[in-house]
Amino acid sequence: MSKRARVSDVPTYENCKHHTEPLVSCRFVEKRVIKLPPTIGRVGAIAACSAVQTNSDGALGVSFTEPKTPTDDASNTLEDNAQRLRHAVQDPLIAIGTDTGCIALVRTEDTISVLDHGSSNNSDNSNRNTIVSNSGTAAIQRILIANNKTASADTPNTMAPPSTPTNAVPDMVAGDANGQVTVFTLGRLFSRTTFSAPVCALAVDTNPHTPSSYLVGDMGGSVTSYHHTQEVRWRMQLDASSHASEADGLGIYDPQVTGICAVEWADDAGTPTYYVLAATGAQIQVLCHGSLVSSIPLRARCTALCAGTFTTLLEQRSTQAIVGDETGSLYILDRFALTPYAHLAYPVARISALPHHALSGSAGPDIVVCSTLSNFVYLLCAGKIIGTYATDAWPTDVAVIEAVPHGSKHCPVLVVAEADAEPVVARQSCSLLKVVYIEE
C-alpha cells in the first residue's frame, strides 16, 4: 500500500532551532546585462556555474568565431570554439538553450561559444550578424550544468589537451522539444539520445549508487534514470489519471512531468532511502528504484520542484523538497509530509535552492529562489520573503550561482534571462542575460 501524505497547517519552520537566525533581508546589485545576438534565437532555458580553473600557462578568454567565408566548414568553426573554451579564464559561465536549438556557453557579449547549432547544417554567412541558421530545429526546453565529479567520473579524459584541467569546462545536459537529450563533456558533444516525447524536466540523480546519471521527465509522463553514456538505468511510465484531483479540471489529465528531483529520506529507524519526486498535474509521484511508492495529491497543479534543506538543519544525509504550484503556494515535502511554506501573489515558474551560508556566511535553512509568471523573482528564507528582484519583462528562466568573486569577497549571483524590449534588428527579438549579485 502506498504511503499517504500528511498535510500540516502549521509551518514547521516557526518552531525550528537554527544555528543562527535566518536571513531577514538582502539586496540586489546588477553587475552587467549581456545582450545576445538575435540570430541564435530566443533563450528558453539557462543554467549557470561558478568560476572554472585556468591553465598554468595563462589562459586566454573565449570569444566566438564566425565562419569567415561561405566555404568555411561550420563544424570546424564550432570545434575551434570548443577548443578555445577549454582555455577559459576564471569567470562565471552561463549555459543557454534557445528556441532554434542553439546551445552555447556565455560569459560576456564578446565571449560566446556555440557548442551545438542544432540539427540543421544550413548557414547564412553573408550576414556578419548571423551565427548559425537553425530554422526547423527543436527548441531547447531544459538545460543543466552538472558537477564534474558526478558527470565525468568514469569518462576518459583523452579528449582534453594535456595542459587543460579536466574541470575547465563543466558537463552540460540539454533536453529539447523533439525528445532528444544531449550530453556535453569537456566542451564536446558526448552523447545524444532520443526519448519518446518532448523533454520537460531534467535533474541530476544524486543517488551515489547510480553515479553519472540524470533524471529525465517528458511530456508523455515518463521518468527515466539515464546514464550519460546512453544507458537507461530504469524507466517508469506514470499513470496518475485514475488519481486525478479536482485541481486537474473537468476530468482532463495532463501527463507531462512538470518537475523532478532526487531526495534522501530516513525511515523511523534512521535508514536512508533515495527517492525520486516527479510532479504530474496536481500530484507528486514518489519513486524508488523505478517503482511507484506513493502519489501525494496537491490542491493545485504543481509547476516546480527543488531539493534542499528548507526548515531545519537536518542530518547530513537527509533532504527535503520545495513544491510550487500554479496558485503561488509553496510547500515543503519531507518524508511524505506536506507543510505550507509561503504563498506568493503569482504562479510559480521555477525554483532553485541557495545555501544559507552562501549569503550570510553562517549555517541555516536554504534560501528559496523563485521566479513567477510575472516580472518578479523572489528570495525566501524560513518561509519569509527576504528580497524581490523586478525584471523589465517576464523572465524565461532563472539560475543561481552559489559563489562568485565580488571585490574582496564572494557573493551568490542571480542570472535572469528575459526578452529585450528594444531589439537591434527589426522584427527580430533577442534575449538579455542579467547578472545580478545578491548581498546581505
Side-chain angles (χ1 to χ4, degrees):
M1 179 180 296
S2 63
K3 298 182 179 180
R4 185 178 182 85
R6 306 184 306 274
V7 181
S8 171
D9 292 326
V10 181
T12 58
Y13 57 79
E14 293 183 356
N15 300 319
C16 288
K17 293 182 179 180
H18 307 288
H19 288 185
T20 59
E21 290 296 323
L23 286 168
V24 295
S25 65
C26 66
R27 67 189 186 99
F28 301 92
V29 180
E30 193 167 288
K31 178 67 175 180
R32 72 168 76 99
V33 177
I34 302 172
K35 182 172 291 188
L36 301 174
T39 47
I40 67 174
R42 294 185 297 271
V43 172
I46 66 171
C49 68
S50 55
V52 298
Q53 289 188 357
T54 60
N55 292 333
S56 59
D57 55 354
L60 299 176
V62 179
S63 59
F64 177 74
T65 303
E66 298 175 351
K68 295 181 174 57
T69 68
T71 59
D72 263 357
D73 186 353
S75 63
N76 290 338
T77 301
L78 295 176
E79 174 62 19
D80 179 65
N81 289 336
Q83 288 282 3
R84 298 171 71 183
L85 184 60
R86 295 186 183 92
H87 300 274
V89 298
Q90 190 174 17
D91 213 352
L93 284 175
I94 305 168
I96 64 170
T98 74
D99 61 351
T100 62
C102 178
I103 301 173
L105 280 169
V106 180
R107 286 192 292 117
T108 68
E109 290 183 1
D110 298 324
T111 54
I112 304 174
S113 181
V114 175
L115 301 183
D116 190 5
H117 56 76
S119 59
S120 173
N121 291 323
N122 299 324
S123 62
D124 177 10
N125 300 317
S126 60
N127 185 347
R128 293 295 294 175
N129 290 325
T130 299
I131 295 180
V132 176
S133 175
N134 297 301
S135 59
T137 59
I140 304 300
Q141 303 199 133
R142 292 291 184 270
I143 194 166
L144 64 85
I145 293 177
N147 186 317
N148 283 348
K149 293 181 180 179
T150 299
S152 298
D154 53 359
T155 301
N157 294 325
T158 55
M159 295 183 292
S163 61
T164 303
T166 57
N167 60 345
V169 179
D171 289 354
M172 294 167 48
V173 186
D176 67 25
N178 278 348
Q180 287 189 333
V181 173
T182 305
V183 178
F184 294 90
T185 299
L186 301 176
R188 289 185 177 182
L189 176 64
F190 183 79
S191 66
R192 177 170 281 152
T193 304
T194 301
F195 289 78
S196 59
V199 176
C200 51
L202 275 178
V204 175
D205 189 350
T206 56
N207 188 338
H209 304 297
T210 55
S212 307
S213 294
Y214 308 100
L215 300 170
V216 181
D218 63 37
M219 288 189 175
S222 290
V223 176
T224 304
S225 177
Y226 163 76
H227 192 268
H228 73 292
T229 57
Q230 300 181 303
E231 174 193 354
V232 173
R233 295 190 184 276
W234 55 260
R235 176 174 289 153
M236 176 68 183
Q237 177 63 48
L238 302 176
D239 182 14
S241 56
S242 60
H243 306 287
S245 66
E246 296 178 358
D248 289 311
L250 302 175
I252 300 175
Y253 173 70
D254 183 2
Q256 72 169 311
V257 179
T258 54
I260 194 168
C261 68
V263 296
E264 182 185 17
W265 293 338
D267 59 19
D268 294 338
T271 303
T273 303
Y274 290 89
Y275 297 97
V276 172
L277 308 181
T280 55
Q283 301 171 86
I284 302 297
Q285 312 285 0
V286 184
L287 310 176
C288 185
H289 303 298
S291 299
L292 182 64
V293 174
S294 176
S295 294
I296 300 175
L298 304 173
R299 295 190 175 98
R301 180 175 176 269
C302 180
T303 54
L305 274 177
C306 180
T309 303
F310 304 104
T311 57
T312 180
L313 296 175
L314 303 176
E315 297 177 2
Q316 184 177 359
R317 295 177 60 84
S318 184
T319 50
Q320 302 166 324
I322 281 282
V323 179
D325 67 26
E326 61 185 0
T327 69
S329 294
L330 295 170
Y331 299 88
I332 294 174
L333 180 57
D334 185 9
R335 305 179 209 189
F336 303 94
L338 276 173
T339 302
Y341 180 76
H343 184 80
L344 304 176
Y346 304 97
V348 175
R350 296 279 193 276
I351 302 175
S352 301
L354 180 67
H356 191 278
H357 64 79
L359 189 54
S360 68
S362 58
D366 287 349
I367 298 165
V368 177
V369 181
C370 182
S371 66
T372 59
L373 297 184
S374 71
N375 64 324
F376 295 109
V377 179
Y378 297 94
L379 266 66
L380 302 95
C381 185
K384 307 295 183 183
I385 297 175
I386 62 171
T388 303
Y389 178 73
T391 61
D392 295 325
W394 287 19
T396 55
D397 205 356
V398 170
V400 64
I401 307 173
E402 182 176 335
V404 172
H406 180 43
S408 59
K409 59 181 180 179
H410 286 71
C411 290
V413 165
L414 177 70
V415 182
V416 180
E418 63 180 70
D420 186 7
E422 299 179 356
V424 177
V425 182
R427 292 180 295 181
Q428 265 193 321
S429 62
C430 61
S431 296
L432 301 176
L433 296 177
K434 293 185 176 179
V435 180
V436 182
Y437 284 88
I438 308 171
E439 298 181 346
E440 185 177 2

